[in-house]
Amino acid sequence: MSFSYQRSSALFKEAQKVIPGGVNSPVRAFNAVGGSPVFVDHAKGAYLYDVDGNKIIDYIASWGGPMILGHAFDPVVDAVKAAADKGTSYGMPTELETKIAELAVSMAPNVDQIRMVNSGTEACMSAVRLARGFTGRDKIIKFAGCYHGHSDSFLIQAGSGAVTFGSPNSPGVTQGTAKDTLLAQYNNLEQVAEIFKQNEGGEIACVIIEPIAGNMGCIVPQEGFLEGIRSLCDENDSLFIFDEVMTGFRLAAGGAQETTGVKADIVTYGKVIGGGLPVGAFGARQEIMNHLAPLGPVYQAGTLSGNPLAMSAGITMLSHLNNNPDIFSSLAQKTERLHKGIDTVLTEKGMPYQINRYGSMMSVHFTDQPVIDFASAATGNNEWFKKFFHGLLKRGVYLPPSAFESYFLNNALSNEDIDKTIDASRAVVAEW
Ligand code: PLP
């Protein structure tokens, strides 16, 4: 293999002088896998082209989905260009905002109204504020290893970047904030029931969850887990928030609510909904959304919320998915092909591993224990993960650079790309 990273390494050194850690989001720095991050020049379809001229098959799709249809998807690019010609921000309402809201509401179950924001972090932060405002209660329940963005209430043993850096509780989050976030283990319904019991008398505003977790690898909810939380929320007049920032418009038109059949009270979106531009959103039934400013007292706002470029990209992306629902099953089939291929390679090698998969999300864990929550995800052998990651990167395949992240397939990937990835995996483990 003759992959060179000279220019990427040089750019990383330059970046570190003026950007903390050289990156604008921690996981990009490769701290979990070592080495120098790859700097991208451009991307098209299933491939990233880096600044050293390497062509790389992409399995992160810009972290969870903005690139679900492949990079630089022509209709999205054209829509953004056309919107830019008309001005890039007005701070006044546009018809585009109503169009995307109509489309999203028609696709998302149990959502009458939706509010656009600029990131998944904003969406989850606002959803929790709305849940607190609606119920008049302070406490929330979240799950160890689930990531809901970096707002203070969630950085309580959060997954993703925070775990990678081994500092689950970020300095800067106050004790006052931390005391209102109660933590449970994913897939542990008894624990959730116990927390509700300990906080009887109407203290819990909401439970927030990644219905299929993607921030500790891919973790699938066990039979009855989400249904059980739904019942506990109903019994305690608490709201159930589905954080569908990763799963929304990726697993199905109706996201995880559709695939699991479990109803959420508030749903948050991000990633796919913006088609690669900075967009998040949260939606709920009318009765809940009525509490939001300017209708109600729960404040939430944004200068660039509903930005015309972002809305144009999002409308094009959602329309395409809505009009071509086969994309969801095609993505799932491709993921299954990758799963089976890597499964065979690792079985042949005779090493301990687990592969988790749900729809177009998947992760490989180098452990002999079933990976069902954060603690079991943490039993994975990180040295093997690093070798697997770098071995594949050398062969032109980009996996998430942390064992605590899910792969996300995009629809531009061909069976040939997937087979090349499987062959590359075989070559990587043959070296061990
Ligand atoms: N929720 C989930 C499930 C996520 O995976 C993420 C980001 O990865 C977020 C929220 C935060 O989204 P953003 O990075 O757009 O702020």
Side-chain angles (χ1 to χ4, degrees):
M1 289 294 119
S2 60
F3 267 40
S4 142
Y5 296 106
Q6 262 175 316
R7 188 150 163 70
S8 273
S9 300
L11 288 179
F12 189 46
K13 286 201 183 84
E14 286 304 306
Q16 283 168 298
K17 292 180 194 159
V18 285
I19 303 172
V23 291
N24 281 311
S25 196
V27 74
R28 294 180 202 166
F30 272 26
N31 282 26
V33 288
S36 184
V38 176
F39 277 57
V40 178
D41 178 71
H42 66 283
K44 184 74 188 167
Y47 311 117
L48 302 159
Y49 297 86
D50 74 9
V51 291
D52 287 285
N54 301 310
K55 177 182 174 185
I56 305 169
I57 304 175
D58 179 26
Y59 285 99
I60 67 167
S62 187
W63 292 107
M67 297 302 127
I68 189 168
L69 300 176
H71 290 276
F73 184 66
D74 287 332
V76 171
V77 173
D78 292 344
V80 173
K81 284 181 181 163
D85 279 340
K86 294 168 79 174
T88 52
S89 180
Y90 317 117
M92 294 163 70
T94 63
E95 194 181 351
L96 295 169
E97 293 162 86
T98 311
K99 276 198 177 151
I100 196 168
E102 283 170 352
L103 191 54
V105 163
S106 75
M107 293 169 80
N110 310 309
V111 169
D112 296 328
Q113 290 202 324
I114 191 159
R115 170 67 56 87
M116 292 292 154
V117 294
N118 305 286
S119 67
T121 294
E122 262 188 79
C124 295
M125 176 187 77
S126 308
V128 164
R129 185 180 305 139
L130 179 58
R132 286 174 163 151
F134 180 77
T135 57
R137 302 171 178 180
D138 292 344
K139 292 188 179 167
I140 68 170
I141 300 178
K142 86 170 279 288
F143 295 88
C146 280
Y147 181 67
H148 306 291
H150 61 94
S151 98
D152 287 6
S153 305
F154 303 127
L155 287 186
I156 318 292
Q157 206 184 313
S160 205
V163 165
T164 301
F165 287 104
S167 94
N169 299 299
S170 170
V173 175
T174 67
Q175 285 301 325
T177 299
K179 79 172 178 20
D180 286 330
T181 301
L182 310 172
L183 276 168
Q185 301 303 313
Y186 202 85
N187 275 325
N188 190 336
L189 186 59
E190 290 89 75
Q191 210 180 15
V192 183
E194 184 55 36
I195 295 175
F196 266 109
K197 210 164 141 206
Q198 285 168 4
N199 292 275
E200 253 169 0
E203 291 195 61
I204 312 281
C206 62
V207 178
I208 183 166
I209 196 163
E210 288 180 69
I212 286 75
N215 283 288
M216 37 187 166
C218 168
I219 297 197
V220 181
Q222 290 172 341
E223 188 87 35
F225 177 57
L226 296 174
E227 293 81 353
I229 301 174
R230 175 70 271 172
S231 303
L232 286 167
C233 286
D234 290 342
E235 286 157 21
N236 290 278
D237 294 322
S238 303
L239 300 185
F240 196 10
I241 303 180
F242 267 24
D243 176 351
E244 295 229 38
V245 166
M246 279 177 164
T247 54
F249 310 109
R250 164 167 282 278
L251 298 179
Q257 285 199 93
E258 182 179 323
T259 61
T260 64
V262 177
K263 181 181 167 200
D265 297 301
I266 304 181
V267 191
T268 63
Y269 296 103
K271 314 219 184 221
V272 176
I273 199 171
L277 274 81
V279 181
F282 60 104
R285 60 182 182 270
Q286 187 76 54
E287 174 202 12
I288 298 175
M289 293 307 266
N290 280 347
H291 281 67
L292 206 57
L295 284 182
V298 177
Y299 194 69
Q300 187 279 325
T303 300
L304 289 172
S305 296
N307 170 271
L309 265 60
M311 297 302 101
S312 300
I315 291 168
T316 311
M317 175 64 91
L318 293 191
S319 309
H320 194 86
L321 292 170
N322 201 27
N323 297 334
N324 300 279
D326 290 353
I327 289 174
F328 301 111
S329 45
S330 138
L331 276 166
Q333 277 161 16
K334 289 175 191 183
T335 313
E336 189 181 1
R337 187 181 184 97
L338 182 66
H339 178 168
K340 285 190 174 155
I342 296 186
D343 207 23
T344 307
V345 166
L346 296 178
T347 304
E348 283 166 6
K349 181 70 185 172
M351 57 194 304
Y353 70 94
Q354 309 286 325
I355 301 180
N356 288 354
R357 170 169 60 92
Y358 190 102
S360 53
M361 298 166 66
M362 166 177 150
S363 54
V364 178
H365 303 260
F366 294 106
T367 173
D368 52 10
Q369 288 184 34
V371 174
I372 55 158
D373 57 12
F374 181 70
S376 45
T379 63
N381 182 322
N382 204 46
E383 288 312 306
W384 287 351
F385 178 83
K386 282 185 195 174
K387 280 190 186 177
F388 195 59
F389 171 83
H390 280 295
L392 281 170
L393 184 55
K394 263 200 322 197
R395 291 169 173 83
V397 176
Y398 195 81
L399 298 182
S402 158
F404 290 94
E405 305 284 355
S406 173
Y407 307 3
F408 293 96
L409 274 70
N410 70 73
N411 204 42
L413 284 162
S414 63
N415 283 340
E416 200 192 343
D417 294 323
I418 290 166
D419 293 346
K420 267 191 203 162
T421 306
I422 296 164
D423 290 345
S425 311
R426 185 170 283 109
V428 171
V429 298
E431 281 178 350
W432 294 4

